[in-house]
Coordinates of all heavy atoms in Angstrom, one line a residue:
K113 N -14.5 0.1 -8.2 CA -15.4 0.1 -9.3 C -14.9 -0.7 -10.5 O -15.6 -1.5 -11.1 CB -15.7 1.5 -9.8 CG -16.7 1.6 -11.0 CD -16.9 3.0 -11.4 CE -17.8 3.1 -12.6 NZ -18.0 4.5 -13.1
I114 N -13.6 -0.6 -10.8 CA -13.1 -1.3 -12.0 C -12.6 -2.7 -11.6 O -12.2 -3.5 -12.5 CB -11.9 -0.5 -12.6 CG1 -10.7 -0.4 -11.6 CG2 -12.4 0.9 -13.0 CD1 -9.5 0.3 -12.2
K115 N -12.5 -3.0 -10.3 CA -12.1 -4.4 -9.9 C -13.1 -5.4 -10.4 O -14.3 -5.2 -10.1 CB -11.9 -4.5 -8.4 CG -11.2 -5.7 -8.0 CD -10.8 -5.7 -6.5 CE -12.1 -5.6 -5.6 NZ -11.7 -5.7 -4.2
G116 N -12.7 -6.3 -11.2 CA -13.7 -7.3 -11.7 C -14.2 -6.9 -13.1 O -14.8 -7.7 -13.8
E117 N -13.9 -5.7 -13.5 CA -14.2 -5.2 -14.9 C -13.0 -5.1 -15.7 O -12.7 -6.0 -16.5 CB -14.9 -3.9 -14.8 CG -16.3 -3.9 -14.0 CD -16.9 -2.5 -13.9 OE1 -16.3 -1.6 -14.5 OE2 -18.0 -2.4 -13.3
T118 N -12.2 -4.1 -15.5 CA -10.9 -3.9 -16.3 C -9.8 -4.5 -15.5 O -8.7 -4.6 -16.0 CB -10.7 -2.5 -16.6 OG1 -10.7 -1.7 -15.4 CG2 -11.7 -1.9 -17.6
L119 N -10.0 -4.8 -14.2 CA -9.0 -5.4 -13.4 C -9.5 -6.7 -12.8 O -10.7 -6.8 -12.5 CB -8.6 -4.5 -12.2 CG -7.7 -3.3 -12.5 CD1 -7.5 -2.5 -11.2 CD2 -6.3 -3.7 -13.0
P120 N -8.7 -7.7 -12.6 CA -9.2 -9.0 -12.0 C -9.6 -8.8 -10.6 O -9.1 -7.9 -9.9 CB -8.0 -9.9 -12.2 CG -6.8 -9.1 -12.2 CD -7.2 -7.8 -12.9
E121 N -10.5 -9.7 -10.1 CA -10.9 -9.6 -8.7 C -9.8 -9.9 -7.8 O -9.7 -9.3 -6.7 CB -12.1 -10.6 -8.5 CG -13.4 -10.1 -9.0 CD -14.1 -9.1 -8.1 OE1 -13.6 -8.9 -7.0 OE2 -15.2 -8.5 -8.5
K122 N -9.0 -10.9 -8.1 CA -7.9 -11.4 -7.3 C -6.6 -11.4 -8.0 O -6.6 -11.3 -9.3 CB -8.2 -12.8 -6.7 CG -9.5 -12.8 -5.8 CD -9.7 -14.2 -5.3 CE -10.9 -14.3 -4.4 NZ -11.2 -15.6 -3.9
G123 N -5.5 -11.5 -7.3 CA -4.2 -11.6 -7.9 C -3.6 -10.3 -8.3 O -2.6 -10.3 -9.1
V124 N -4.1 -9.2 -7.8 CA -3.5 -7.8 -8.2 C -2.6 -7.4 -7.0 O -3.0 -7.3 -5.9 CB -4.6 -6.8 -8.4 CG1 -4.0 -5.4 -8.7 CG2 -5.6 -7.2 -9.5
S125 N -1.4 -7.1 -7.4 CA -0.4 -6.6 -6.4 C -0.3 -5.1 -6.6 O -0.4 -4.6 -7.8 CB 0.9 -7.3 -6.5 OG 0.8 -8.7 -6.3
L126 N 0.0 -4.3 -5.5 CA 0.0 -2.9 -5.6 C 1.4 -2.3 -5.2 O 2.0 -2.8 -4.3 CB -1.1 -2.3 -4.8 CG -2.5 -2.1 -5.3 CD1 -3.1 -3.4 -5.8 CD2 -3.4 -1.4 -4.3
L127 N 1.8 -1.3 -6.0 CA 2.9 -0.4 -5.6 C 2.2 0.9 -5.3 O 1.5 1.5 -6.2 CB 3.9 -0.2 -6.7 CG 4.9 -1.5 -6.9 CD1 5.8 -1.1 -8.1 CD2 5.6 -1.9 -5.7
V128 N 2.3 1.5 -4.1 CA 1.5 2.6 -3.7 C 2.4 3.8 -3.4 O 3.3 3.7 -2.6 CB 0.6 2.3 -2.5 CG1 -0.2 3.5 -2.1 CG2 -0.3 1.1 -2.9
T129 N 2.1 5.0 -3.9 CA 2.7 6.2 -3.5 C 1.7 7.0 -2.7 O 0.6 7.3 -3.1 CB 3.1 7.1 -4.8 OG1 4.1 6.4 -5.5 CG2 3.6 8.4 -4.3
G130 N 2.1 7.3 -1.5 CA 1.2 8.1 -0.6 C 0.8 7.3 0.7 O 0.2 6.3 0.5
A131 N 1.2 7.8 1.8 CA 0.9 7.1 3.1 C -0.6 7.1 3.4 O -1.1 6.1 3.9 CB 1.7 7.8 4.2
R132 N -1.3 8.1 3.1 CA -2.7 8.2 3.4 C -3.5 7.2 2.6 O -4.3 6.4 3.2 CB -3.2 9.6 3.1 CG -2.8 10.6 4.1 CD -3.2 12.0 3.7 NE -2.8 13.0 4.7 CZ -3.6 13.6 5.6 NH1 -4.8 13.2 5.7 NH2 -3.1 14.5 6.4
I133 N -3.2 7.1 1.3 CA -4.0 6.1 0.5 C -3.5 4.7 0.8 O -4.3 3.7 0.7 CB -3.9 6.4 -1.0 CG1 -4.9 5.6 -1.8 CG2 -2.5 6.2 -1.5 CD1 -5.0 6.1 -3.2
R134 N -2.2 4.5 1.2 CA -1.7 3.2 1.5 C -2.5 2.6 2.7 O -2.9 1.5 2.7 CB -0.3 3.3 1.9 CG 0.4 2.0 2.4 CD 1.6 2.2 3.2 NE 1.4 3.0 4.4 CZ 2.3 3.7 5.0 NH1 3.5 3.8 4.6 NH2 1.9 4.4 6.1
N135 N -2.7 3.4 3.7 CA -3.5 3.0 4.9 C -4.9 2.6 4.5 O -5.5 1.6 5.0 CB -3.5 4.1 6.0 CG -2.1 4.4 6.5 OD1 -1.2 3.5 6.5 ND2 -1.9 5.6 7.0
R136 N -5.5 3.4 3.7 CA -6.9 3.1 3.2 C -6.9 1.8 2.4 O -7.8 0.9 2.6 CB -7.4 4.3 2.4 CG -8.8 4.0 1.8 CD -9.9 4.1 2.9 NE -11.2 3.8 2.3 CZ -11.9 4.7 1.7 NH1 -11.5 6.0 1.7 NH2 -13.1 4.4 1.2
L137 N -6.0 1.6 1.5 CA -6.0 0.4 0.7 C -5.7 -0.9 1.6 O -6.2 -2.0 1.3 CB -4.9 0.5 -0.4 CG -5.3 1.5 -1.5 CD1 -4.1 1.7 -2.4 CD2 -6.5 1.0 -2.3
Q138 N -4.8 -0.7 2.6 CA -4.5 -1.8 3.5 C -5.8 -2.3 4.2 O -6.0 -3.4 4.4 CB -3.4 -1.4 4.4 CG -2.0 -1.5 3.9 CD -0.9 -1.1 4.9 OE1 -1.2 -0.4 5.8 NE2 0.3 -1.6 4.7
S139 N -6.5 -1.3 4.7 CA -7.8 -1.6 5.4 C -8.8 -2.3 4.5 O -9.7 -3.0 5.0 CB -8.4 -0.3 6.0 OG -8.8 0.6 5.0
E140 N -8.7 -2.1 3.2 CA -9.6 -2.7 2.2 C -9.1 -4.1 1.8 O -9.8 -4.8 1.1 CB -9.7 -1.9 1.0 CG -10.4 -0.5 1.2 CD -11.8 -0.6 1.4 OE1 -12.4 -1.6 1.1 OE2 -12.4 0.4 2.0
G141 N -7.9 -4.5 2.3 CA -7.4 -5.9 2.1 C -6.6 -6.1 0.8 O -6.4 -7.2 0.4
Y142 N -6.1 -5.0 0.2 CA -5.3 -5.1 -1.0 C -3.8 -5.6 -0.6 O -3.3 -5.2 0.4 CB -5.2 -3.8 -1.7 CG -6.5 -3.5 -2.5 CD1 -7.4 -2.6 -1.9 CD2 -6.8 -4.0 -3.7 CE1 -8.6 -2.3 -2.5 CE2 -8.0 -3.7 -4.3 CZ -8.9 -2.8 -3.7 OH -10.1 -2.5 -4.4
N143 N -3.2 -6.3 -1.6 CA -1.9 -6.8 -1.4 C -0.9 -5.7 -1.8 O -0.7 -5.5 -3.0 CB -1.7 -8.1 -2.2 CG -0.2 -8.5 -2.1 OD1 0.5 -8.4 -1.1 ND2 0.2 -9.2 -3.2
I144 N -0.3 -5.0 -0.9 CA 0.7 -3.9 -1.2 C 2.1 -4.4 -1.1 O 2.5 -4.8 0.0 CB 0.4 -2.7 -0.3 CG1 -1.0 -2.2 -0.5 CG2 1.5 -1.6 -0.6 CD1 -1.3 -1.0 0.5
I145 N 2.8 -4.5 -2.2 CA 4.2 -5.0 -2.2 C 5.1 -4.0 -1.5 O 5.9 -4.3 -0.7 CB 4.7 -5.2 -3.6 CG1 3.8 -6.3 -4.3 CG2 6.1 -5.6 -3.7 CD1 4.2 -6.5 -5.8
K146 N 4.9 -2.7 -1.9 CA 5.8 -1.7 -1.3 C 5.1 -0.3 -1.4 O 4.3 -0.1 -2.4 CB 7.1 -1.6 -2.0 CG 8.2 -0.7 -1.3 CD 9.5 -0.9 -1.9 CE 10.6 0.0 -1.2 NZ 11.9 -0.2 -1.7
S147 N 5.4 0.6 -0.5 CA 4.8 1.9 -0.6 C 5.9 2.9 -0.5 O 7.0 2.7 0.0 CB 3.8 2.1 0.6 OG 4.5 2.1 1.8
F148 N 5.6 4.1 -1.1 CA 6.6 5.2 -1.2 C 6.0 6.5 -0.7 O 4.8 6.7 -0.7 CB 7.1 5.4 -2.6 CG 7.5 4.1 -3.3 CD1 6.6 3.4 -4.0 CD2 8.8 3.8 -3.3 CE1 7.0 2.2 -4.7 CE2 9.3 2.6 -4.0 CZ 8.3 1.8 -4.7
W149 N 6.8 7.4 -0.2 CA 6.4 8.7 0.1 C 6.3 9.5 -1.2 O 7.1 9.3 -2.1 CB 7.4 9.4 1.0 CG 7.4 8.9 2.4 CD1 8.4 8.0 2.9 CD2 6.5 9.1 3.5 NE1 8.1 7.7 4.2 CE2 6.9 8.4 4.6 CE3 5.3 9.9 3.6 CZ2 6.2 8.4 5.8 CZ3 4.6 9.9 4.8 CH2 5.1 9.1 5.9

């Protein structure tokens, strides 16, 4: 929802905590630099 509004459409890198949400974000095509338990 906030992508393109308060966040840019492209060029956003992610640090993700949580394996479940990491898998979901990967399937959505987000650039995940690193993930953590």
Side-chain angles (χ1 to χ4, degrees):
K113 179 181 177 181
I114 64 176
K115 190 171 65 174
E117 298 177 2
T118 54
L119 286 175
E121 283 281 356
K122 297 181 179 179
V124 179
S125 301
L126 272 60
L127 291 177
V128 180
T129 294
R132 288 173 179 259
I133 194 170
R134 176 199 63 201
N135 296 336
R136 176 72 184 273
L137 291 170
Q138 280 180 336
S139 67
E140 296 287 342
Y142 286 97
N143 175 33
I144 299 176
I145 299 176
K146 190 170 182 179
S147 62
F148 309 88
W149 292 102

